[in-house]
Amino acid sequence: METGRSSESPEVPKKGKSKTPRKPKDSILKQKSPAEFFADNKNIAGFDNPGKCLYTTVRELVENALDSAESISELPVVEITIEEIGRSKFNSMIGLADHERRDEALYDDFETAKAREKRLAKEARVLEIQAKNAALGKKVKDPAATKAAKGREASYYRVTCKDNGRGMPHDDIPNMFGRVLSGTKYGLKQTRGKFGLGAKMALIWSKMSTGLPIEITSSMNSQNYTSFCRLDIDIHKNVPHIHIHEKRENKERWHGAEIQIVIEGNWTTYRSKILHYMRQMAVITPYAQFLFQFVSDSPEYFLYLPSAPSPLSLLFPPLKNVTIRFTRRTDIMPSVPLETKYHPSAVDILLIKRLITETSKQTLLQFLQHEFVNIGKSHAERLIGENLKLIAFICVRFLDKIKLVGSMAY
């Protein structure tokens, strides 16, 4: 008699969860570099959105150019150019081959021909109404402030700023552009730049939005060559990543700097703000000459206006190419601002420690007169007599500057 096998499969014991307690992960301290911090918090430096990034980049480059020219008492000549880069040209710059999209609806920037026609017609009606209101003397909004269509393609721009300023030493160029919080303007001095951040933030934004490096050409008065540097920034290490750094022949004996950077931006929305900024700079720096250009290869819609000069042609300039020259109105430059010294009522122990460490003076009397403002010899003697014990304690305890205390000849 044959015994039949059971059709039921044998029970497989379920794997239970391991009762071994998991080892807690060791707490690991992580550190952010200054470049990484500002890349994560771009809004601190005025890089909130593509439009504002374009506006802030122009501002930083123009103000650096003015500071550079003023530092050598040279009448500033600043040329700023914004060149719009089409999608196919940008793809070729980053080494990406153009291809047709198979499913347009997958892309956020998709806009049908019908939707584009409707949007342009609506913009035309708005501009026409604004033109009529302007003719009647009513207050109108800038047409460039119209909100862009949601989900449209990002635009890319090459921003170039050229000046006739001091220029930069050949070996210092990488750190001046590729290391955040590395600058030459630290100190109590009235300059437009202060923290060594503006141009570096433009480079960080370029790295994040396009991945393309910045190009710097510079030459100083005493140099018979120009320095050319192409670099980007290692955001995690806060160090420059140099592609090319070489010396080239300077036949024209030109001095100054030319900076070229490719970033994502929005000219349509921030056009009026950029032009208004350039007009303001021409007013507050009458000794400077500015040349501003916007170059676009793509055809853009603009309101047709009669060729006869009228206030409307100034209010609604074409939305395509723009060239504006602001000529200087005076050849008299303000004197170069002098670096001021610290006031004794605004110092702390840490600052006193640093000043004593860096001073070249041999006596405490000389130190007080040289490192602080509004302290003469008699005032310094009174300060030493009043605070002798405290000053001696700071010098000996924190700085080991016994020589200063021992040679207080006053």
Side-chain angles (χ1 to χ4, degrees):
M1 186 175 180
E2 295 181 2
T3 57
R5 293 184 179 179
S6 173
S7 60
E8 298 179 0
S9 58
E11 294 183 0
V12 181
K14 296 181 179 180
K15 291 183 180 180
K17 293 183 179 179
S18 175
K19 294 183 179 179
T20 309
R22 293 182 179 179
K23 293 182 179 180
K25 292 182 179 180
D26 295 334
S27 60
I28 300 175
L29 291 176
K30 293 184 179 181
Q31 180 177 345
K32 277 189 177 181
S33 70
E36 192 174 2
F37 171 79
F38 285 106
D40 294 339
N41 302 275
K42 300 184 294 297
N43 57 309
I44 295 178
F47 286 74
D48 300 69
N49 53 67
K52 196 170 181 183
C53 289
L54 179 63
Y55 168 72
T56 308
T57 298
V58 171
R59 283 194 57 175
E60 295 293 346
L61 296 182
V62 168
E63 291 174 10
N64 284 349
L66 289 173
D67 278 342
S68 177
E70 290 174 1
S71 65
I72 58 173
S73 300
E74 185 87 15
L75 289 170
V77 178
V78 182
E79 299 176 9
I80 187 84
T81 304
I82 302 176
E83 179 188 353
E84 187 176 16
I85 300 174
R87 169 63 68 175
S88 59
K89 185 176 179 180
F90 176 75
N91 287 344
S92 67
M93 291 171 66
I94 62 176
L96 183 66
D98 286 338
H99 66 279
E100 293 184 0
R101 294 174 175 175
R102 298 180 181 178
D103 189 355
E104 291 280 2
L106 284 175
Y107 297 88
D108 290 336
D109 56 2
F110 173 66
E111 185 181 25
T112 63
K114 187 176 180 180
R116 176 179 173 81
E117 185 180 349
K118 186 177 179 181
R119 175 175 59 81
L120 291 178
K122 183 179 178 181
E123 291 177 0
R125 288 195 300 270
V126 171
L127 291 174
E128 188 177 354
I129 293 171
Q130 289 177 339
K132 289 179 180 178
N133 291 339
L136 296 173
K138 296 181 181 179
K139 188 177 180 182
V140 295
K141 294 182 180 179
D142 195 324
T146 359
K147 292 184 179 179
K150 184 181 179 181
R152 294 179 65 189
E153 283 192 358
S155 299
Y156 300 96
Y157 302 89
R158 179 187 285 112
V159 182
T160 307
C161 183
K162 184 177 181 181
D163 64 70
N164 62 336
R166 178 190 294 274
M168 292 164 279
H170 179 79
D171 296 331
D172 292 343
I173 291 176
N175 284 330
M176 292 180 77
F177 284 90
R179 194 185 297 270
V180 174
L181 302 183
S182 171
T184 60
K185 298 178 183 177
Y186 290 108
L188 304 179
K189 189 175 180 179
Q190 185 180 1
T191 55
R192 295 174 182 85
K194 177 68 178 174
F195 303 110
L197 180 63
K200 286 89 166 179
M201 271 306 304
L203 177 55
I204 289 174
W205 174 244
S206 172
K207 175 96 172 178
M208 296 174 68
S209 60
T210 67
L212 294 173
I214 189 174
E215 293 185 355
I216 305 108
T217 306
S218 175
S219 180
M220 303 183 74
N221 260 327
S222 57
Q223 294 176 349
N224 58 358
Y225 63 87
T226 60
S227 303
F228 177 78
C229 186
R230 182 184 293 127
L231 60 87
D232 59 27
I233 185 171
D234 187 330
I235 293 178
H236 300 290
K237 296 181 181 179
N238 191 31
V239 293
H241 177 213
I242 302 172
H243 298 239
I244 300 175
H245 192 197
E246 61 187 13
K247 297 178 181 179
R248 297 178 176 178
E249 192 176 358
N250 185 13
K251 294 181 180 179
E252 300 176 355
R253 296 293 176 179
W254 164 77
H255 66 87
E258 182 177 358
I259 302 163
Q260 191 176 99
I261 185 168
V262 180
I263 60 173
E264 181 185 348
N266 189 336
W267 166 256
T268 306
T269 305
Y270 273 78
R271 165 184 162 275
S272 61
K273 290 182 173 60
I274 293 174
L275 295 180
H276 183 60
Y277 166 74
M278 295 304 301
R279 294 188 189 101
Q280 285 182 321
M281 293 305 297
V283 170
I284 65 176
T285 54
Y287 50 88
Q289 177 178 312
F290 298 96
L291 174 63
F292 177 84
Q293 290 181 306
F294 174 78
V295 182
S296 173
D297 294 333
S298 60
E300 291 287 342
Y301 171 81
F302 62 91
L303 178 66
Y304 173 77
L305 292 172
S307 56
S310 67
L312 292 180
S313 60
L314 300 177
L315 185 61
F316 300 109
L319 300 181
K320 198 178 178 183
N321 296 344
V322 176
T323 301
I324 305 176
R325 183 184 298 275
F326 301 96
T327 57
R328 67 169 56 94
R329 301 183 302 282
T330 179
D331 291 336
I332 301 174
M333 288 185 63
S335 56
V336 179
L338 301 176
E339 186 170 352
T340 60
K341 299 175 182 178
Y342 293 95
H343 195 277
S345 64
V347 296
D348 50 36
I349 294 179
L350 185 63
L351 179 58
I352 294 176
K353 177 180 177 180
R354 179 172 66 83
L355 292 177
I356 294 180
T357 306
E358 296 173 355
T359 189
S360 60
K361 300 303 176 182
Q362 298 298 316
T363 67
L364 191 57
L365 185 65
Q366 295 173 352
F367 166 75
L368 290 175
Q369 293 179 79
H370 182 265
E371 300 293 342
F372 296 95
V373 69
N374 293 337
I375 294 186
K377 184 176 180 181
S378 60
H379 198 174
E381 291 173 350
R382 291 171 57 192
L383 280 174
I384 293 173
E386 183 70 23
N387 302 290
L388 181 59
K389 292 183 179 179
L390 175 61
I391 294 174
F393 173 76
I394 292 174
C395 294
V396 178
R397 173 68 180 82
F398 293 103
L399 305 167
D400 197 23
K401 285 276 185 177
I402 303 176
K403 182 173 62 174
L404 275 180
V405 181
S407 56
M408 290 186 296
Y410 64 92

